[in-house]
Amino acid sequence: ALGELLSSSPTLEHLDISSNDLTSETVQLLFSGIQHTSALKWLSLDFNPLGNGGAVPLLKSRVAHNLSCLRLRDTGIGEEDCRALCSLLQLASTSLQWIDISNNDLPSVAMQLIVSGLQDNTTVNNLYVMKNSLDSEAAVSLLKSPLAHRLCVFSL
């Protein structure tokens, strides 16, 4: 039902569906509706149990290119999602400026993927990575990267 509603809302710009117990299967249906929403700029899926790979369909979709804000806080995303996010960040056509992947207990290798994706990215200004494994190697990579002067990383 939500997917159908979204497919008939091509001018939707802001969508917050946090804390709705959406699983990767439910989100697949949602993404099918979002595919026709080219105006979507802000998306929050915070506090939904997506699991590893649950955000991959979104991150590989055309819609993700238009987003300026993506919130995946406490969704259980994993390395698969970070690999897809890395690919999105490396595209010249991405509009992402603000990303929150906090509270996902992402392993160091997943954080390294994010750092890799940000190396040549010119759009992201804010990255929230609290409560993930941002080890010293990933942190140093971020600080030494060309984007360090403009990127605000929040991690505790």
Side-chain angles (χ1 to χ4, degrees), residues 4 7-8 11 18-19 22 25 40 46 55 58 66 69 78 97-98 102 115 142 155:
E4 291 175 21
S7 66
S8 65
T11 59
S18 301
S19 303
L22 299 176
E25 294 80 25
L40 190 63
D46 293 347
L58 167 69
N66 297 327
C69 176
Q97 297 173 8
W98 201 93
S102 297
V115 171
L142 266 176
S155 178

Tab-separated table of all heavy atoms in Angstrom, residues 4 7-8 11 18-19 22 25 40 46 55 58 66 69 78 97-98 102 115 142 155:
chain	number	residue	atom	x	y	z
A	4	GLU	N	2.568	1.735	-3.363
A	4	GLU	CA	1.636	2.256	-4.366
A	4	GLU	C	1.410	3.748	-4.162
A	4	GLU	O	1.355	4.512	-5.126
A	4	GLU	CB	0.306	1.503	-4.289
A	4	GLU	CG	0.394	0.065	-4.748
A	4	GLU	CD	-0.910	-0.684	-4.542
A	4	GLU	OE1	-1.975	-0.046	-4.417
A	4	GLU	OE2	-0.848	-1.919	-4.506
A	7	SER	N	4.428	5.628	-5.366
A	7	SER	CA	4.559	5.655	-6.831
A	7	SER	C	3.635	6.702	-7.456
A	7	SER	O	3.881	7.162	-8.558
A	7	SER	CB	4.293	4.278	-7.429
A	7	SER	OG	2.946	3.906	-7.241
A	8	SER	N	2.594	7.102	-6.729
A	8	SER	CA	1.690	8.140	-7.245
A	8	SER	C	2.026	9.514	-6.669
A	8	SER	O	1.239	10.445	-6.794
A	8	SER	CB	0.234	7.773	-6.927
A	8	SER	OG	0.035	7.769	-5.531
A	11	THR	N	6.325	14.072	-6.656
A	11	THR	CA	6.925	15.306	-6.149
A	11	THR	C	7.320	15.217	-4.679
A	11	THR	O	7.762	16.202	-4.100
A	11	THR	CB	5.952	16.491	-6.334
A	11	THR	OG1	4.734	16.200	-5.637
A	11	THR	CG2	5.670	16.739	-7.804
A	18	SER	N	11.031	6.228	9.895
A	18	SER	CA	11.808	5.674	11.005
A	18	SER	C	10.910	4.894	11.946
A	18	SER	O	9.708	5.179	12.065
A	18	SER	CB	12.453	6.819	11.804
A	18	SER	OG	13.289	7.583	10.991
A	19	SER	N	11.515	3.920	12.621
A	19	SER	CA	10.860	3.169	13.701
A	19	SER	C	9.544	2.526	13.295
A	19	SER	O	8.543	2.630	14.010
A	19	SER	CB	10.638	4.081	14.910
A	19	SER	OG	11.858	4.632	15.349
A	22	LEU	N	10.358	-1.952	9.743
A	22	LEU	CA	10.493	-2.366	8.350
A	22	LEU	C	11.670	-3.326	8.228
A	22	LEU	O	12.738	-3.070	8.750
A	22	LEU	CB	10.749	-1.159	7.449
A	22	LEU	CG	9.677	-0.078	7.419
A	22	LEU	CD1	10.127	1.085	6.554
A	22	LEU	CD2	8.365	-0.649	6.905
A	25	GLU	N	12.625	-7.115	3.417
A	25	GLU	CA	11.551	-7.500	2.492
A	25	GLU	C	10.525	-6.367	2.334
A	25	GLU	O	10.093	-6.064	1.221
A	25	GLU	CB	10.847	-8.773	2.972
A	25	GLU	CG	11.714	-10.020	2.961
A	25	GLU	CD	12.652	-10.119	4.169
A	25	GLU	OE1	12.350	-9.528	5.230
A	25	GLU	OE2	13.694	-10.771	4.041
A	40	LEU	N	12.607	13.076	-4.506
A	40	LEU	CA	12.967	12.720	-3.132
A	40	LEU	C	14.403	13.145	-2.821
A	40	LEU	O	15.342	12.739	-3.494
A	40	LEU	CB	12.811	11.215	-2.912
A	40	LEU	CG	12.919	10.732	-1.472
A	40	LEU	CD1	11.815	11.318	-0.609
A	40	LEU	CD2	12.873	9.215	-1.415
A	46	ASP	N	15.844	5.230	9.735
A	46	ASP	CA	16.389	4.982	11.068
A	46	ASP	C	15.531	4.014	11.875
A	46	ASP	O	14.293	4.022	11.773
A	46	ASP	CB	16.482	6.287	11.875
A	46	ASP	CG	17.505	7.264	11.327
A	46	ASP	OD1	18.318	6.880	10.485
A	46	ASP	OD2	17.471	8.427	11.774
A	55	ALA	N	19.642	-2.318	2.675
A	55	ALA	CA	19.583	-1.019	2.004
A	55	ALA	C	20.189	-1.054	0.600
A	55	ALA	O	20.142	-0.060	-0.115
A	55	ALA	CB	20.296	0.032	2.844
A	58	LEU	N	18.065	0.181	-2.449
A	58	LEU	CA	17.952	1.640	-2.477
A	58	LEU	C	19.257	2.264	-2.954
A	58	LEU	O	19.265	3.131	-3.827
A	58	LEU	CB	17.618	2.187	-1.085
A	58	LEU	CG	17.795	3.701	-0.945
A	58	LEU	CD1	16.746	4.443	-1.745
A	58	LEU	CD2	17.781	4.123	0.495
A	66	ASN	N	19.707	11.165	-6.313
A	66	ASN	CA	19.099	12.468	-6.054
A	66	ASN	C	19.039	12.849	-4.585
A	66	ASN	O	18.775	13.992	-4.254
A	66	ASN	CB	17.671	12.501	-6.617
A	66	ASN	CG	17.652	12.338	-8.115
A	66	ASN	OD1	18.568	12.777	-8.803
A	66	ASN	ND2	16.631	11.688	-8.623
A	69	CYS	N	20.167	13.763	1.683
A	69	CYS	CA	20.274	13.263	3.054
A	69	CYS	C	19.792	11.818	3.115
A	69	CYS	O	18.698	11.508	2.648
A	69	CYS	CB	19.439	14.124	4.000
A	69	CYS	SG	19.410	13.511	5.694
A	78	GLY	N	25.163	-3.625	7.007
A	78	GLY	CA	26.470	-4.254	7.151
A	78	GLY	C	27.387	-3.972	5.977
A	78	GLY	O	27.217	-2.990	5.249
A	97	GLN	N	24.826	14.776	0.662
A	97	GLN	CA	25.579	15.734	1.456
A	97	GLN	C	25.647	15.311	2.917
A	97	GLN	O	26.576	15.676	3.623
A	97	GLN	CB	24.928	17.118	1.377
A	97	GLN	CG	24.905	17.698	-0.001
A	97	GLN	CD	24.097	18.976	-0.049
A	97	GLN	OE1	23.675	19.524	0.959
A	97	GLN	NE2	23.866	19.467	-1.254
A	98	TRP	N	24.667	14.550	3.365
A	98	TRP	CA	24.518	14.237	4.782
A	98	TRP	C	24.182	12.757	4.907
A	98	TRP	O	23.189	12.298	4.352
A	98	TRP	CB	23.367	15.087	5.306
A	98	TRP	CG	23.303	15.333	6.746
A	98	TRP	CD1	23.821	16.400	7.412
A	98	TRP	CD2	22.630	14.550	7.741
A	98	TRP	NE1	23.515	16.306	8.746
A	98	TRP	CE2	22.791	15.177	8.973
A	98	TRP	CE3	21.923	13.351	7.697
A	98	TRP	CZ2	22.272	14.664	10.152
A	98	TRP	CZ3	21.409	12.840	8.865
A	98	TRP	CH2	21.584	13.504	10.070
A	102	SER	N	25.146	5.733	11.911
A	102	SER	CA	25.479	5.477	13.317
A	102	SER	C	24.759	4.254	13.865
A	102	SER	O	23.733	3.824	13.336
A	102	SER	CB	25.085	6.681	14.169
A	102	SER	OG	25.812	7.813	13.794
A	115	VAL	N	35.227	5.086	3.814
A	115	VAL	CA	36.368	5.987	3.630
A	115	VAL	C	36.821	5.965	2.174
A	115	VAL	O	37.073	7.015	1.569
A	115	VAL	CB	37.528	5.607	4.578
A	115	VAL	CG1	38.792	6.379	4.240
A	115	VAL	CG2	37.135	5.856	6.030
A	142	LEU	N	40.646	9.009	6.811
A	142	LEU	CA	39.733	10.141	6.670
A	142	LEU	C	40.460	11.466	6.867
A	142	LEU	O	40.278	12.410	6.102
A	142	LEU	CB	38.597	10.046	7.696
A	142	LEU	CG	37.311	9.384	7.267
A	142	LEU	CD1	36.347	9.289	8.424
A	142	LEU	CD2	36.666	10.103	6.102
A	155	SER	N	31.756	11.079	15.592
A	155	SER	CA	31.942	9.742	16.119
A	155	SER	C	32.344	9.823	17.570
A	155	SER	O	33.202	10.624	17.939
A	155	SER	CB	33.023	9.000	15.334
A	155	SER	OG	33.222	7.726	15.894
